[in-house]
Amino acid sequence: MAFPENARQSLIPSFLYSSTSGSKRISGLESFANASHGSHQPPFLSLPSRGGGVGAAGNFVIPAPNEKIEMYSPSYYAACTVGGILSCGITHTALTPLDLVKCNMQIDPAKYKSITSGFGVLLKEQGVKGFFRGWVPTLLGYSAQGACKLGFYEFFKKYYSDIAGPEYAAKYKTLIYLAGSASAELIADIALCPMEAVKVRVQTQPGFARGLRDGLPKFVKSEGGALGLYKGLVPLWGRQIPYTMMKFASFETIVENVYKYAIPTPKDQCNKSLQLGVSFASGYVAGVLCAIVSHPADNLVSFLNNAKGATVGDAVKKLGLLGLFTRGLPLRIVMIGTLTGAQWGIYDSFKVFVGLPTTGGVTPALAVAKA
């Protein structure tokens, strides 16, 4: 995808994405991959271009094992989208047993009194197979969410940086991360909400359905139509948007500070194993913060999707203010910390696999200073 000579300058530094083997490090600001001048729709999948580090038109490309992925090209956004599907779909599905116990502790704390007893109750009543009840809507829902979350985050981070201008993008980089992640999650939750609704109902009401195949039509019928699948959308936004804003902004900040203060070697000189270790550890810490910030809304989502016709007021009255913030929190901290760490590890591993560098580690301020 060729870049016009007079394209707008990107405010995200190219060396944030540069490969250690690249023959040329760009310290300034790269052109935005948008040949249509004004169309900001996330691109579709296309084959990456082949060729060496800087193309005939001067556009910067990232070395991959067998191909080159041009920054901000359709292939770049497609790679981020696929990475999001893998990172979110795999991790959420793998943690289905923890999620199942957590949801039941939120809905029926008298029966599911602790993590240990919760697993014991499930094993006694439903056997080992019961631990993975609802895994299909979990896989489909969070794969769709991950595709939108990671793909649109990369897009909006670039888009808002261009709008802000070099000085303000460098000065307010955290606001760029927050705005980009919030915009991405707003879209991602629309994709997630129907599967999340079915998942909660299947997991918390024994006998309601075996899984997605019979659970989806039963849910739609019980709620009076397909719009019932979006009954929990606003609470879902209330849970996921703060969660994702914390997830991305804290991760980017933690990674930046790890390379700044804890590792004496510049990021682009560190081996990939070390970089992926930093991604996982930073993601785990970010996940703990995410769990605390989003937990009250998580309790609301579980309550509303479990009880027909329930309102937010009913949930607050039933759970109590303290319960809203604390019920199931220790388990969710373990679950979300592990989940978020694994997601960043998988996402960055996929980026490395296709020839892209890991996420974070260099700030826009450095680009401005060197420009």
Side-chain angles (χ1 to χ4, degrees):
M1 179 177 179
F3 288 64
E5 292 288 341
N6 60 347
R8 289 189 300 168
Q9 295 297 299
S10 167
L11 306 181
I12 297 203
S14 61
F15 55 83
L16 174 62
Y17 302 97
S18 62
S19 167
T20 58
S21 62
S23 61
K24 180 176 181 181
R25 170 172 291 190
I26 310 297
S27 60
L29 307 175
E30 294 300 325
S31 59
F32 180 52
N34 185 5
S36 60
H37 293 288
S39 173
H40 297 293
Q41 295 179 351
F44 51 86
L45 177 64
S46 70
L47 291 176
S49 60
R50 298 181 180 272
V54 179
N59 42 314
F60 182 60
V61 292
I62 302 298
N66 297 312
E67 297 179 302
K68 312 294 182 183
I69 295 183
E70 185 179 297
M71 289 305 300
Y72 315 120
S73 67
S75 297
Y76 170 74
Y77 289 112
C80 295
T81 299
V82 173
I85 292 172
L86 295 174
S87 65
C88 293
I90 291 172
T91 52
H92 277 277
T93 305
L95 290 178
T96 296
L98 277 175
D99 187 37
L100 205 154
V101 173
K102 182 264 301 179
C103 287
N104 280 285
M105 287 176 68
Q106 292 170 330
I107 298 302
D108 193 355
K111 183 177 181 181
Y112 297 86
K113 297 176 181 175
S114 67
I115 298 172
T116 304
S117 67
F119 276 107
V121 169
L122 282 175
L123 183 62
K124 182 180 179 180
E125 293 185 351
Q126 302 176 39
V128 175
K129 290 178 64 176
F131 289 138
F132 284 91
R133 194 169 74 250
W135 73 269
V136 175
T138 297
L139 176 62
L140 296 179
Y142 283 95
S143 292
Q145 185 216 33
C148 297
K149 178 186 293 188
L150 274 301
F152 278 107
Y153 173 67
E154 298 285 357
F155 169 77
F156 281 119
K157 183 169 69 170
K158 173 73 169 61
Y159 179 66
Y160 291 144
S161 293
D162 285 339
I163 290 176
E167 181 181 354
Y168 289 111
K171 186 176 181 180
Y172 301 109
K173 62 182 181 295
T174 301
L175 293 180
I176 298 293
Y177 301 147
L178 292 171
S181 57
S183 300
E185 190 61 43
L186 188 73
I187 298 170
D189 287 344
I190 296 174
L192 169 65
C193 194
M195 293 296 102
E196 178 74 359
V198 175
K199 174 189 79 75
V200 171
R201 187 69 62 87
V202 168
Q203 290 181 339
T204 58
Q205 289 190 9
F208 173 76
R210 293 186 300 275
L212 179 64
R213 181 177 297 180
D214 56 339
L216 179 60
K218 279 188 177 181
F219 189 99
V220 171
K221 184 177 180 180
S222 68
E223 294 297 329
L227 286 178
L229 291 167
Y230 287 92
K231 180 179 69 172
L233 180 59
V234 173
L236 188 62
W237 276 332
R239 181 188 79 184
Q240 290 296 133
I241 291 177
Y243 164 87
T244 300
M245 292 171 72
M246 179 65 75
K247 173 181 178 177
F248 284 90
S250 61
F251 174 81
E252 298 260 16
T253 301
I254 292 167
V255 170
E256 177 187 334
N257 283 292
V258 166
Y259 286 111
K260 186 175 182 180
Y261 299 109
I263 299 177
T265 307
K267 177 188 173 183
D268 61 356
Q269 296 178 26
C270 296
N271 62 49
K272 295 303 181 183
S273 296
L274 177 58
Q275 291 186 36
L276 293 175
V278 170
S279 293
F280 175 80
S282 301
Y284 198 101
V285 175
V288 172
L289 299 175
C290 293
I292 296 171
V293 166
S294 62
H295 192 65
D298 184 63
N299 273 321
L300 287 177
V301 170
S302 295
F303 186 91
L304 293 175
N305 283 323
N306 180 69
K308 181 180 179 180
T311 64
V312 172
D314 295 332
V316 174
K317 184 177 179 180
K318 171 94 178 196
L319 299 174
L321 195 59
L322 181 62
L324 198 63
F325 280 85
T326 60
R327 183 177 292 180
L329 180 59
L331 177 57
R332 191 158 187 266
I333 285 176
V334 174
M335 174 182 164
I336 298 300
T338 305
L339 188 78
T340 308
Q343 284 177 351
W344 280 115
I346 293 172
Y347 180 62
D348 275 351
S349 294
F350 182 78
K351 289 174 76 173
V352 168
F353 174 75
V354 298
L356 294 169
T358 57
T359 309
V362 182
T363 70
L366 295 177
V368 173
K370 292 185 177 183

